[in-house]
Amino acid sequence: MQGIAERVVNTALKQGSCDFVTDVAARIPLFVICRMMGVPESDWEHLYDLTSQAFAAGDPLTRRFAHLNILGYFETLQAEKAQNPGDDLVSVLATAEVEGERLSADDVILNCDNLLVGGTENTRIAAAGGMLALLEHPGQWQAVRDDHELLPSTVEEVLRWTSTATHIMRTAVRPTEIHGQRIEVGDKVVFWLPSANRDESVFTDPDTFDVHRTPNRHLSLGFGEHFCLGSMLARVELRLLYGELLRQGVHIELDGEPKLLDSIVVNGPETMPVRMKAA
């Protein structure tokens, strides 16, 4: 993972000007999950192109065609891994048995698709949104430059501040009351993470981006039985990305106006042009 972060940052540095979302933030989690899934390194850029089309293209037909190609790719990969398993997640799925029976090809393919999406999208948006916050608050970025021990708390503040998954809806299964609001069985209840992560009863100065914030009881990665399975992976990827920028003393500045995602499901930059230069 450290090698992937170094490789991605070095490639962006060679370009000089790049889109931080697509050229940096998107590639690190995608390449990491590809390695974990046993995708050959020669196919990483191909999957990057397909996922970029599937989740960012404006044309619905382009998105659908790209997503079908992703499923087709994993159909071939799972068949190969079933015959010649290795030490990777797809091999585990392709050879797994439940009550003495192998998982169906469709089960394996759809699990691969979920791993690819779940293992990349929110980390990509958080990484880019966190970098934007650090650029908009240069004193905070300088504080981390001066003291790399702040990196863990910086990652937690990035997760709180970006709140990339915006909301979750649930159906009440028993009556209750929350802050005077009566909720009956069957009512639809929506939980908004950006609001929870700026709860003034929990956070001091919740609308301030503060890399020193501790404790930081944000809910960006869920809680209890709904805690994000990939939470530690996301934290490590963010720490490695920002850590690599710090290690190389990279000077980074905006090179145009960032464009935010047009979505109420996820929150963060869609594009973010920057200039990057090593010290």
mmCIF file of all heavy atoms in Angstrom, residues 3 22 61 65 80 90 97 115 117-118 131 143 160 171 175 188 190 219 222 233 243 247 255:
data_model
loop_
_atom_site.group_PDB
_atom_site.id
_atom_site.type_symbol
_atom_site.label_atom_id
_atom_site.label_comp_id
_atom_site.label_asym_id
_atom_site.label_seq_id
_atom_site.Cartn_x
_atom_site.Cartn_y
_atom_site.Cartn_z
ATOM 1 N N GLY A 3 3.823 1.452 -1.293
ATOM 2 C CA GLY A 3 4.363 1.544 -2.642
ATOM 3 C C GLY A 3 3.361 2.118 -3.634
ATOM 4 O O GLY A 3 3.728 2.885 -4.539
ATOM 5 N N THR A 22 -9.187 12.522 -9.828
ATOM 6 C CA THR A 22 -9.016 11.377 -10.732
ATOM 7 C C THR A 22 -7.594 10.849 -10.769
ATOM 8 O O THR A 22 -7.376 9.642 -10.887
ATOM 9 C CB THR A 22 -9.450 11.761 -12.159
ATOM 10 O OG1 THR A 22 -8.666 12.878 -12.607
ATOM 11 C CG2 THR A 22 -10.920 12.141 -12.198
ATOM 12 N N LEU A 61 -26.064 5.728 -20.819
ATOM 13 C CA LEU A 61 -25.703 4.555 -21.609
ATOM 14 C C LEU A 61 -24.223 4.206 -21.437
ATOM 15 O O LEU A 61 -23.855 3.029 -21.366
ATOM 16 C CB LEU A 61 -26.022 4.800 -23.088
ATOM 17 C CG LEU A 61 -27.514 4.823 -23.458
ATOM 18 C CD1 LEU A 61 -27.685 5.145 -24.936
ATOM 19 C CD2 LEU A 61 -28.176 3.487 -23.120
ATOM 20 N N PHE A 65 -22.955 0.676 -19.933
ATOM 21 C CA PHE A 65 -22.037 -0.159 -20.716
ATOM 22 C C PHE A 65 -20.763 -0.446 -19.924
ATOM 23 O O PHE A 65 -20.258 -1.573 -19.912
ATOM 24 C CB PHE A 65 -21.710 0.547 -22.033
ATOM 25 C CG PHE A 65 -20.868 -0.271 -22.963
ATOM 26 C CD1 PHE A 65 -21.385 -1.387 -23.609
ATOM 27 C CD2 PHE A 65 -19.538 0.070 -23.189
ATOM 28 C CE1 PHE A 65 -20.600 -2.160 -24.464
ATOM 29 C CE2 PHE A 65 -18.747 -0.688 -24.048
ATOM 30 C CZ PHE A 65 -19.286 -1.799 -24.683
ATOM 31 N N GLU A 80 -11.114 -17.900 -13.733
ATOM 32 C CA GLU A 80 -9.673 -18.189 -13.670
ATOM 33 C C GLU A 80 -9.250 -18.540 -12.257
ATOM 34 O O GLU A 80 -8.463 -19.476 -12.037
ATOM 35 C CB GLU A 80 -8.892 -16.989 -14.181
ATOM 36 C CG GLU A 80 -9.084 -16.708 -15.667
ATOM 37 C CD GLU A 80 -8.424 -15.418 -16.101
ATOM 38 O OE1 GLU A 80 -7.908 -14.686 -15.211
ATOM 39 O OE2 GLU A 80 -8.414 -15.128 -17.316
ATOM 40 N N VAL A 90 -10.668 -12.678 -4.436
ATOM 41 C CA VAL A 90 -11.475 -13.335 -5.470
ATOM 42 C C VAL A 90 -11.271 -14.845 -5.432
ATOM 43 O O VAL A 90 -12.224 -15.623 -5.611
ATOM 44 C CB VAL A 90 -11.160 -12.759 -6.870
ATOM 45 C CG1 VAL A 90 -11.985 -13.477 -7.938
ATOM 46 C CG2 VAL A 90 -11.466 -11.272 -6.913
ATOM 47 N N GLU A 97 -17.163 -22.473 -0.028
ATOM 48 C CA GLU A 97 -18.319 -23.364 0.010
ATOM 49 C C GLU A 97 -19.232 -22.966 1.159
ATOM 50 O O GLU A 97 -18.772 -22.595 2.237
ATOM 51 C CB GLU A 97 -17.866 -24.823 0.189
ATOM 52 C CG GLU A 97 -17.108 -25.386 -0.999
ATOM 53 C CD GLU A 97 -16.805 -26.863 -0.833
ATOM 54 O OE1 GLU A 97 -17.147 -27.425 0.244
ATOM 55 O OE2 GLU A 97 -16.224 -27.461 -1.754
ATOM 56 N N LEU A 115 -17.208 -5.118 -3.719
ATOM 57 C CA LEU A 115 -15.889 -4.832 -3.157
ATOM 58 C C LEU A 115 -15.216 -3.679 -3.890
ATOM 59 O O LEU A 115 -14.616 -2.795 -3.280
ATOM 60 C CB LEU A 115 -15.000 -6.071 -3.239
ATOM 61 C CG LEU A 115 -15.238 -7.167 -2.201
ATOM 62 C CD1 LEU A 115 -14.491 -8.442 -2.604
ATOM 63 C CD2 LEU A 115 -14.788 -6.716 -0.826
ATOM 64 N N VAL A 117 -16.643 -1.214 -5.657
ATOM 65 C CA VAL A 117 -17.319 0.064 -5.396
ATOM 66 C C VAL A 117 -17.130 0.484 -3.940
ATOM 67 O O VAL A 117 -16.703 1.599 -3.643
ATOM 68 C CB VAL A 117 -18.815 -0.031 -5.737
ATOM 69 C CG1 VAL A 117 -19.527 1.276 -5.382
ATOM 70 C CG2 VAL A 117 -19.013 -0.345 -7.213
ATOM 71 N N GLY A 118 -17.441 -0.434 -3.014
ATOM 72 C CA GLY A 118 -17.356 -0.102 -1.595
ATOM 73 C C GLY A 118 -15.946 0.202 -1.142
ATOM 74 O O GLY A 118 -15.744 0.988 -0.215
ATOM 75 N N MET A 131 -8.259 16.940 1.194
ATOM 76 C CA MET A 131 -7.195 17.775 0.644
ATOM 77 C C MET A 131 -7.708 19.174 0.359
ATOM 78 O O MET A 131 -7.006 20.171 0.587
ATOM 79 C CB MET A 131 -6.654 17.140 -0.637
ATOM 80 C CG MET A 131 -5.329 17.753 -1.110
ATOM 81 S SD MET A 131 -3.959 17.327 -0.018
ATOM 82 C CE MET A 131 -3.536 18.913 0.688
ATOM 83 N N ALA A 143 0.310 22.998 10.146
ATOM 84 C CA ALA A 143 0.453 22.354 11.458
ATOM 85 C C ALA A 143 0.839 20.888 11.304
ATOM 86 O O ALA A 143 1.681 20.363 12.048
ATOM 87 C CB ALA A 143 -0.852 22.476 12.245
ATOM 88 N N ARG A 160 -14.660 13.292 9.537
ATOM 89 C CA ARG A 160 -15.784 14.039 10.121
ATOM 90 C C ARG A 160 -16.230 15.159 9.193
ATOM 91 O O ARG A 160 -17.417 15.344 8.923
ATOM 92 C CB ARG A 160 -15.378 14.633 11.480
ATOM 93 C CG ARG A 160 -16.512 15.406 12.179
ATOM 94 C CD ARG A 160 -15.994 16.196 13.379
ATOM 95 N NE ARG A 160 -15.318 17.428 12.976
ATOM 96 C CZ ARG A 160 -15.947 18.603 12.812
ATOM 97 N NH1 ARG A 160 -17.259 18.699 12.984
ATOM 98 N NH2 ARG A 160 -15.253 19.675 12.475
ATOM 99 N N THR A 171 -36.596 2.187 8.602
ATOM 100 C CA THR A 171 -38.005 2.107 8.988
ATOM 101 C C THR A 171 -38.081 1.727 10.453
ATOM 102 O O THR A 171 -37.486 0.725 10.875
ATOM 103 C CB THR A 171 -38.746 1.057 8.135
ATOM 104 O OG1 THR A 171 -38.616 1.397 6.749
ATOM 105 C CG2 THR A 171 -40.220 1.015 8.507
ATOM 106 N N PRO A 175 -42.090 2.062 18.527
ATOM 107 C CA PRO A 175 -42.335 3.492 18.762
ATOM 108 C C PRO A 175 -41.282 4.067 19.701
ATOM 109 O O PRO A 175 -40.762 3.378 20.590
ATOM 110 C CB PRO A 175 -43.723 3.512 19.397
ATOM 111 C CG PRO A 175 -43.874 2.162 20.024
ATOM 112 C CD PRO A 175 -43.111 1.216 19.148
ATOM 113 N N LYS A 188 -40.714 6.332 8.351
ATOM 114 C CA LYS A 188 -39.396 6.401 7.713
ATOM 115 C C LYS A 188 -38.562 7.465 8.433
ATOM 116 O O LYS A 188 -39.009 8.595 8.622
ATOM 117 C CB LYS A 188 -39.523 6.764 6.234
ATOM 118 C CG LYS A 188 -40.435 5.840 5.435
ATOM 119 C CD LYS A 188 -39.894 4.412 5.395
ATOM 120 C CE LYS A 188 -40.789 3.526 4.529
ATOM 121 N NZ LYS A 188 -40.346 2.113 4.542
ATOM 122 N N VAL A 190 -34.771 9.365 8.525
ATOM 123 C CA VAL A 190 -33.540 9.617 7.765
ATOM 124 C C VAL A 190 -32.475 10.179 8.702
ATOM 125 O O VAL A 190 -32.720 11.135 9.442
ATOM 126 C CB VAL A 190 -33.788 10.592 6.598
ATOM 127 C CG1 VAL A 190 -32.484 10.844 5.837
ATOM 128 C CG2 VAL A 190 -34.843 10.035 5.653
ATOM 129 N N LEU A 219 -19.360 9.926 13.101
ATOM 130 C CA LEU A 219 -20.081 8.724 12.711
ATOM 131 C C LEU A 219 -19.922 8.428 11.217
ATOM 132 O O LEU A 219 -20.740 7.714 10.633
ATOM 133 C CB LEU A 219 -21.573 8.877 13.059
ATOM 134 C CG LEU A 219 -21.886 9.078 14.540
ATOM 135 C CD1 LEU A 219 -23.378 9.297 14.744
ATOM 136 C CD2 LEU A 219 -21.426 7.870 15.358
ATOM 137 N N GLY A 222 -19.915 4.800 10.431
ATOM 138 C CA GLY A 222 -20.932 4.001 11.091
ATOM 139 C C GLY A 222 -20.646 3.793 12.571
ATOM 140 O O GLY A 222 -19.728 4.380 13.147
ATOM 141 N N LEU A 233 -9.177 0.105 6.513
ATOM 142 C CA LEU A 233 -8.538 0.251 5.209
ATOM 143 C C LEU A 233 -8.620 1.703 4.746
ATOM 144 O O LEU A 233 -7.629 2.270 4.261
ATOM 145 C CB LEU A 233 -9.207 -0.672 4.192
ATOM 146 C CG LEU A 233 -8.630 -0.654 2.771
ATOM 147 C CD1 LEU A 233 -7.181 -1.102 2.773
ATOM 148 C CD2 LEU A 233 -9.467 -1.537 1.853
ATOM 149 N N GLY A 243 0.492 11.200 4.161
ATOM 150 C CA GLY A 243 1.854 10.969 4.652
ATOM 151 C C GLY A 243 2.881 11.024 3.536
ATOM 152 O O GLY A 243 3.992 11.533 3.728
ATOM 153 N N ARG A 247 5.947 13.426 3.294
ATOM 154 C CA ARG A 247 7.297 12.854 3.220
ATOM 155 C C ARG A 247 8.109 13.486 2.101
ATOM 156 O O ARG A 247 9.303 13.758 2.264
ATOM 157 C CB ARG A 247 7.205 11.340 3.010
ATOM 158 C CG ARG A 247 8.546 10.620 3.082
ATOM 159 C CD ARG A 247 8.405 9.137 2.792
ATOM 160 N NE ARG A 247 8.110 8.887 1.394
ATOM 161 C CZ ARG A 247 9.027 8.839 0.429
ATOM 162 N NH1 ARG A 247 10.312 9.040 0.721
ATOM 163 N NH2 ARG A 247 8.684 8.595 -0.818
ATOM 164 N N ASP A 255 -5.554 24.847 -8.921
ATOM 165 C CA ASP A 255 -5.257 25.357 -10.254
ATOM 166 C C ASP A 255 -6.562 25.588 -11.016
ATOM 167 O O ASP A 255 -6.638 25.383 -12.221
ATOM 168 C CB ASP A 255 -4.376 24.350 -11.006
ATOM 169 C CG ASP A 255 -3.791 24.931 -12.286
ATOM 170 O OD1 ASP A 255 -3.655 26.164 -12.361
ATOM 171 O OD2 ASP A 255 -3.501 24.149 -13.205
#
